[in-house]
Amino acid sequence: MSNTDSFIDEVSEEVRRDRLFKVYKKYGWILVVLVVAIVGGAAWNEYSKANRIAQSEAAGRALQAANEAGDAALLNDLANSNSDTAVIAQLQQAAILAGADDAEGAKAILSGISTSNDVPGIYRDLALLKLLMLDAANMPDTDVLAALDALATPGAPFRLLALEQRALHYVRKGETDAAITTLAEIVNAADASDALRQRAQELTIALGGSLDAANNG
């Protein structure tokens, strides 16, 4: 009985091996493809990560070199590339040109960024804010206030800075009360930085306003 059982077990084992071999022969290539895909995917991921780091480091060096040299042209290649840092390079170019008294060049870059649908919204808003800071005095009041209203909506990333620019616009136009009212919004904003709140308070005093009134909203 024991020999019979042993024989049956051996036959069963051979049948299982034969079936397994046939299955492997038929579908084994799928396993090979999966292994290759997994290994290849991991290798590509590491390569992509290293490439992104290298590009970021190169962009950082280019930005630093251009800033130290005060030469916007050093950023031309990066600004015209398809990299994620292209818009940052363009913003830096605008800053360099503005610092070199090339307002027209800076405005052209900032205007292009602020109206581009290919640029993330936060960069469009930043470019528009910088454009207003640079050229609001030469723009129609309605255009300036409409742009600042859009930037100062609740939850907007540059809301408080836009309010500050609105206050400065009112100061330029001699609308002191409107400027003080706008400054009070900054003073009472819970998310205002210490530096921004201090500037708002100092300007309020310079305009003859009361900090008590500002603090009370």
Side-chain angles (χ1 to χ4, degrees):
M1 191 69 178
S2 126
N3 290 337
T4 301
D5 290 342
S6 177
F7 174 75
I8 292 173
D9 289 341
E10 290 179 10
V11 171
S12 298
E13 183 65 25
E14 287 298 323
V15 170
R16 281 195 295 271
R17 288 176 182 173
D18 184 59
R19 288 177 177 173
L20 182 61
F21 178 75
K22 288 180 178 179
V23 169
Y24 178 78
K25 191 174 181 181
K26 186 175 183 180
Y27 300 108
W29 65 273
I30 297 177
L31 179 61
V32 173
V33 170
L34 287 174
V35 171
V36 171
I38 292 171
V39 174
W44 176 256
N45 184 56
E46 289 301 315
Y47 168 77
S48 299
K49 186 187 300 183
N51 193 42
R52 286 194 299 271
I53 292 174
Q55 288 180 347
S56 297
E57 291 176 346
R61 289 192 295 270
L63 289 167
Q64 182 177 1
N67 189 52
E68 291 176 351
D71 188 353
L74 293 177
L75 292 172
N76 284 344
D77 288 343
L78 183 58
N80 294 322
S81 70
N82 293 321
S83 69
D84 294 338
T85 51
V87 67
I88 297 175
Q90 293 169 22
L91 288 168
Q92 184 62 26
Q93 282 185 313
I96 292 173
L97 291 174
D101 294 327
D102 185 359
E104 292 304 315
K107 286 190 293 184
I109 293 174
L110 293 172
S111 180
I113 296 173
S114 67
T115 56
S116 174
N117 292 325
D118 297 327
V119 174
I122 190 169
Y123 291 123
R124 291 199 302 272
D125 287 353
L126 179 58
L128 179 57
L129 179 63
K130 286 181 173 291
L131 181 60
L132 292 167
M133 293 170 68
L134 184 64
D135 199 43
N138 300 315
M139 298 169 62
D141 288 357
T142 53
D143 292 349
V144 172
L145 292 175
L148 289 173
D149 285 346
L151 292 171
T153 56
F158 306 110
R159 174 177 176 272
L160 295 177
L161 292 175
L163 287 176
E164 183 180 42
Q165 291 305 308
R166 182 195 288 170
L168 293 174
H169 177 74
Y170 286 140
V171 171
R172 285 193 297 268
K173 298 301 177 182
E175 300 178 29
T176 303
D177 291 342
I180 292 174
T181 299
T182 302
L183 291 168
E185 291 186 59
I186 299 174
V187 172
N188 292 305
D191 54 341
S193 67
D194 291 339
L196 180 58
R197 183 175 286 108
Q198 182 176 354
R199 291 201 301 271
Q201 290 172 334
E202 291 175 351
L203 184 54
T204 298
I205 293 173
L207 293 173
S210 167
L211 289 184
D212 290 337
N215 289 327
N216 291 329

